[in-house]
Amino acid sequence: MEELKKIEGKENKMDKIVNLCLRRGILFPSNEIYGSMAGFFDYGPVGVELKKNIENNWWKFVVNDRDNIVGIDGALINVSKVWKASGHVDSFNDPLVECKKCHLRFRADQLIEEELKISMDGVGVKQLQELIDKHKIKCPKCGGDFTEVQVFNLMFKTHVGAIENDASLMYLRPETAQLIFTDFKRVLAVSRKKLPFGMAQIGKAFRNEISPRNFVFRSREFSQMELEFFINPEKMNDAEIKEDDLKTECFFYTQEMQEKNIKHEKMSFEHALEKKIIGTKWHAYWMIEFFKWFKSIGIKPENLRFRQHVKTELSHYSSETWDLDYNYPWGWKEVEGIANRTDFDLKQHSKFSGDELSFFDEKEKKKIIPFVIEPSTGVERTLLTVLIDAYSEREDGRVFLDLKASIAPVKIAVLPLMPKEELEKKARGVFDDLKNKIVCDYDSSGSIGKRYSRFDEIGTPFAVTIDYQTLEDDTVTLRYRNDMRQERIKISGLSEKMKELIDE
Ligand code: ATP
């Protein structure tokens, strides 16, 4: 069991990020004016742009840039058979304890993690009970004793139509993946793809988490970006991985390291494959691809590691799972899971629906039930990870977000030096010309220093300032966010230059 890190400075950083999100309206509790319910959030104008940029970036990387992956967008509320077949009705549970005195309910593993400062990944209900008994863990609120650890199903139920009975029982989807499996047959027919191929989806998921926490890290309504990549089970090692990618190094935290309670180690994917640490080449392929993707949206690789699920922790459908963990202020935790779901889901849905979900191989003249590698990522968790990784302070305490231009909500701030008519007129002209090509914002209120700071706080990488010299020689000041350096450039070449800088 790994020691959970608790570094004061880092905790303080999280408060500052939450504060920034509220102050700048990036993300905030939903239904605020009525006293919100924990685990539900709304995005404000800046947050919604950042969210869309992350989603669009993922969609381009996964779907648009490849010819063997297609997208879908499935319904949020599904008939109960879908979730019976998938195993969620029977086993999508978290361990729960209730205080006998004040009746507050806690997630048992989180309670113990907080009390003992050790990771509970993969620890079963029996062991959790033993730890609570051994360490005499009491209710943090009133000091009361707890009930025995029970399991609690995380799915939200609803009844559809005017009659409430078993037939009208439906569930809000707790993951997007199952819609891909239930749509498999139709999408395969219309897209005419051959194995290996993938289906991807971005959309809402709902989980009745016992204790939502760490801001949007664990919420009850969130979005997922999921890919189900279907492969002939006999060809799980046929992935072609570029030499450079194989040589890529990152931190690995294997089952063995966790059992021996030693720290994660840096190694290459090549080494991990050779030593059979990663089970199949297709699994390694998608681990590499998403390690690259997280780096491409600006996450520092030293803050990422792949942690293998220990045997007791594997989901009912998985033969092998690797979490991509980020080093959060409250310790290393999952931002993405990459699982080998085998043929579990297609077989289950074939059994429950009576519809055969398989692929017919024309060459070999046989039906194949593909295996599936599933990279699954939370949008909010990714967004929070981006914010934590990008949060920076200058020596004087002023904040800036070191966001990549590709995901920054606003790419360029267009600012007249002062709110004077002649400067505003010129600045409006510059803004109108740029805004058709690049997402920019115009602001003329307050001192120029305050305006720079406002845009730094939402990660705007560039500011263009129009001053009295502009009126004379048609040049503007271009200011760079991180080092605040400034240069003078001609308006005529401005949009070209800005496009170049953003593409960099
Ligand atoms: P955890 O162990 O943190 O509960 P999980 O293993 O249940 O996560 P998965 O079922 O693998 O998560 O879901 C895939 C991804 O969806 C996660 O990596 C995470 O980014 C996101 N996710 C899962 N649950 C939540 C939640 N309650 N709030 C926000 N994002 C979530």
Side-chain angles (χ1 to χ4, degrees):
M1 283 180 227
E2 190 202 11
E3 285 268 327
L4 281 187
K5 273 195 189 157
K6 276 220 148 195
I7 300 171
E8 272 199 3
K10 281 188 163 190
E11 295 206 325
N12 191 6
K13 180 176 172 181
M14 195 53 213
D15 289 344
K16 290 180 179 174
I17 288 166
V18 173
N19 204 296
L20 176 71
C21 284
L22 302 181
R23 192 171 72 244
R24 300 308 314 269
I26 298 173
L27 265 164
F28 41 88
S30 190
N31 305 164
E32 243 178 335
I33 59 167
Y34 291 106
S36 323
M37 174 65 87
F40 297 91
F41 293 87
D42 289 349
Y43 289 88
V46 173
V48 74
E49 294 291 337
L50 183 56
K51 175 180 186 251
K52 280 190 179 167
N53 289 345
I54 290 173
E55 290 177 349
N56 292 343
N57 210 291
W58 187 95
W59 194 259
K60 181 171 175 334
F61 180 77
V62 174
V63 181
N64 299 147
D65 286 353
R66 299 169 202 260
D67 62 3
N68 61 350
I69 296 182
V70 294
I72 67 155
D73 188 8
L76 306 188
I77 301 179
N78 317 117
V79 296
S80 55
K81 259 191 156 182
V82 170
W83 304 104
K84 189 76 193 152
S86 69
H88 284 76
V89 171
D90 296 323
S91 45
F92 194 56
N93 303 320
D94 271 345
L96 170 87
V97 283
E98 184 176 320
C99 171
K100 287 182 188 164
K101 216 161 120 194
C102 71
H103 300 289
L104 266 184
R105 291 178 157 204
F106 297 87
R107 209 175 119 173
D109 52 341
Q110 289 173 351
L111 183 79
I112 301 171
E113 279 193 351
E114 263 156 39
E115 281 291 316
L116 307 181
K117 309 279 180 269
I118 47 174
S119 164
M120 287 290 109
D121 288 332
V123 178
V125 168
K126 198 165 152 253
Q127 255 184 302
L128 293 173
Q129 185 65 57
E130 284 166 10
L131 283 165
I132 291 179
D133 295 342
K134 183 174 161 203
H135 296 278
K136 300 192 172 47
I137 296 175
K138 307 276 181 210
C139 171
K141 186 92 182 176
C142 74
D145 287 327
F146 285 118
T147 55
E148 298 276 293
V149 181
Q150 320 153 33
V151 289
F152 174 77
N153 192 284
L154 297 184
M155 282 196 296
F156 284 102
K157 289 178 190 167
T158 188
H159 285 273
V160 174
I163 301 168
E164 278 196 22
N165 59 18
D166 283 352
S168 67
L169 173 66
M170 291 180 81
Y171 290 97
L172 272 74
R173 64 183 190 189
E175 62 174 27
T176 62
Q178 293 307 319
L179 278 293
I180 293 182
F181 299 121
T182 54
D183 289 353
F184 176 81
K185 193 173 170 183
R186 186 177 290 281
V187 174
L188 181 62
V190 296
S191 64
R192 299 165 58 241
K193 295 285 174 208
K194 305 248 178 308
L195 294 179
F197 83 98
M199 288 168 64
Q201 180 173 204
I202 298 180
K204 290 271 184 181
F206 305 84
R207 296 184 186 180
N208 194 4
E209 297 280 356
I210 299 166
S211 23
R213 56 185 50 214
N214 293 329
F215 198 40
V216 290
F217 178 83
R218 186 171 304 288
S219 32
R220 288 174 165 141
E221 177 180 330
F222 55 98
S223 300
Q224 288 185 315
M225 307 182 276
E226 293 197 303
L227 163 68
E228 308 302 320
F229 194 74
F230 300 97
I231 307 153
N232 181 336
E234 286 164 18
K235 299 188 176 171
M236 291 300 286
N237 285 309
D238 281 8
E240 279 177 27
I241 308 180
K242 287 192 195 121
E243 204 52 38
D244 277 358
D245 288 345
L246 280 172
K247 298 257 178 292
T248 306
E249 289 197 335
C250 72
F251 292 125
F252 280 85
Y253 197 36
T254 63
Q255 279 179 357
E256 201 186 330
M257 290 171 196
Q258 292 167 73
E259 276 152 20
K260 289 188 180 157
N261 199 14
I262 53 175
K263 229 182 152 245
H264 54 240
E265 279 171 23
K266 203 171 225 183
M267 65 176 99
S268 70
F269 285 93
E270 190 170 40
H271 180 81
L273 272 168
E274 265 167 26
K275 297 281 168 208
K276 303 220 174 317
I277 291 170
I278 304 174
T280 66
K281 231 173 156 187
W282 269 117
H283 212 134
Y285 174 87
W286 284 111
M287 287 165 73
I288 296 170
E289 286 301 282
F290 280 99
F291 186 59
K292 285 197 285 191
W293 183 72
F294 275 96
K295 286 194 290 181
S296 79
I297 59 164
I299 307 296
K300 295 172 200 74
E302 61 272 22
N303 289 332
L304 293 169
R305 75 166 182 198
F306 279 108
R307 186 185 71 82
Q308 189 173 24
H309 277 205
V310 294
K311 292 212 171 64
T312 47
E313 179 188 7
L314 281 173
S315 306
H316 56 277
Y317 52 75
S318 170
S319 65
E320 178 181 358
T321 297
W322 287 88
D323 283 348
L324 182 60
D325 282 354
Y326 179 80
N327 190 8
Y328 291 100
W330 52 93
W332 290 92
K333 288 281 169 196
E334 165 184 352
V335 58
E336 174 177 55
I338 304 184
N340 181 342
R341 291 185 84 121
T342 66
D343 52 8
F344 177 86
D345 303 273
L346 290 179
K347 274 190 172 157
Q348 283 294 100
H349 287 299
S350 298
K351 190 168 130 198
F352 277 72
S353 66
D355 227 341
E356 197 180 308
L357 305 181
S358 63
F359 174 84
F360 187 72
D361 190 320
E362 298 283 353
K363 245 201 224 148
E364 300 196 9
K365 299 273 175 272
K366 66 173 187 187
K367 282 181 191 156
I368 295 169
I369 304 180
F371 268 31
V372 176
I373 299 289
E374 174 199 71
S376 169
T377 317
V379 175
E380 286 73 7
R381 249 185 229 187
T382 303
L383 189 141
L384 181 63
T385 311
V386 163
L387 292 178
I388 294 173
D389 217 69
Y391 184 89
S392 318
E393 279 179 14
R394 305 197 195 280
E395 273 177 10
D396 61 5
R398 278 178 303 148
V399 174
F400 69 97
L401 290 182
D402 181 10
L403 293 182
K404 284 250 173 179
S406 56
I407 58 164
V410 176
K411 321 286 183 205
I412 311 169
V414 180
L415 314 168
L417 184 64
M418 283 177 282
K420 291 275 185 296
E421 203 186 329
E422 60 277 31
L423 292 180
E424 288 228 48
K425 196 168 162 228
K426 189 78 183 168
R428 277 278 169 201
V430 172
F431 175 67
D432 287 343
D433 185 47
L434 282 175
K435 78 173 195 295
N436 297 326
K437 302 159 198 144
I438 303 166
V439 181
C440 25
D441 199 0
Y442 179 88
D443 189 356
S444 62
S445 63
S447 77
I448 191 73
K450 284 216 175 94
R451 277 179 281 157
Y452 283 147
S453 291
R454 278 209 293 267
F455 281 101
D456 286 350
E457 276 197 342
I458 60 163
T460 307
F462 309 107
V464 165
T465 309
I466 288 83
D467 54 20
Y468 283 104
Q469 194 183 326
T470 314
L471 303 181
E472 284 165 21
D473 64 4
D474 258 356
T475 63
V476 292
T477 303
L478 170 62
R479 174 188 179 270
Y480 294 78
R481 175 197 60 210
N482 286 15
D483 55 10
M484 299 183 290
R485 86 176 181 278
Q486 301 194 352
E487 69 188 43
R488 208 74 208 172
I489 56 169
K490 280 249 166 233
I491 291 180
S492 54
L494 186 62
S495 63
E496 274 310 300
K497 166 94 179 170
M498 296 319 297
K499 270 205 218 136
E500 261 170 43
L501 285 170
I502 288 163
D503 287 347
E504 263 173 32

